[in-house]
Amino acid sequence: MVSAWHAAGYALAVHGDDAVVDALEAHGQWAVNLFRRIRIPACRSDLARLVLLHRHGGVYVDAHCAPGEPSALAGLVDWQQRHALVLFDESLNLPAYRNTCIINGVMAGQRGSRVLDSLIKEALRRLKRHYQAEQQACGRLLRYNIYK
């Protein structure tokens, strides 16, 4: 996918766990340790995308997504420069759910956004609470959901 994005004229960076850990250090060693304990890839990504957008700003796109319509992408970059956080809602595509359906495979945010900082802090609180519940569950499976 990297070559597809380059061919479309976009600069991009691929970040790994080290970049996430480096950015999480601002939240304390407990946050770094919590991230390192996460074994579910989707959970790691949920936190990583927030932390990296806060650190660097820009547009986050899941690795499996290819660039689409160039003018739509240019609009996304423009939105990112004007708004603290840009999210997309699929509820129009999922009318049976009758609620908001935010996707996080594509999102954009400004570097240092207070909105992103609040989301990171809430995600860390929820992950910490989940980890503590796992400790008390004595091996029972607890369903992961960063949003509840």
Side-chain angles (χ1 to χ4, degrees):
M1 298 320 310
V2 172
S3 60
W5 283 98
H6 283 157
Y10 290 93
L12 67 112
V14 178
H15 298 281
D17 287 351
D18 290 343
V20 178
V21 166
D22 185 51
L24 273 174
E25 287 176 349
H27 295 275
Q29 189 60 43
W30 71 272
V32 170
N33 294 340
L34 187 61
F35 178 75
R36 287 183 171 145
R37 287 187 194 116
I38 299 171
R39 297 292 171 245
I40 301 170
C43 179
R44 291 176 80 84
S45 294
D46 287 343
L47 183 56
R49 66 179 50 109
L50 296 173
V51 170
L52 292 171
L53 274 176
H54 184 263
R55 167 64 69 93
H56 300 287
V59 178
Y60 170 87
V61 180
D62 276 347
H64 65 275
C65 295
E69 174 61 37
S71 62
L73 288 172
L76 178 58
V77 171
D78 182 52
W79 291 345
Q80 177 268 322
Q81 294 171 348
R82 292 185 290 129
H83 302 285
L85 182 63
V86 178
L87 301 172
F88 296 90
D89 174 15
E90 284 189 316
S91 59
L92 292 176
N93 299 328
L94 304 166
Y97 288 106
R98 301 181 68 190
N99 61 3
T100 302
C101 186
I102 301 295
I103 60 169
N104 64 3
V106 177
M107 57 193 320
Q110 290 181 354
R111 181 179 186 205
S113 161
R114 288 185 294 165
V115 174
L116 283 166
D117 187 55
S118 294
L119 291 171
I120 292 164
K121 288 175 180 172
E122 182 61 24
L124 289 170
R125 276 193 292 275
R126 291 174 186 212
L127 287 168
K128 184 178 180 180
R129 186 174 63 222
H130 183 84
Y131 179 73
Q132 291 168 339
E134 282 181 341
Q135 297 295 305
Q136 295 173 355
C138 300
R140 285 191 337 259
L141 177 65
L142 296 178
R143 297 186 82 185
Y144 156 74
N145 187 340
I146 196 171
Y147 303 109
K148 289 186 178 184

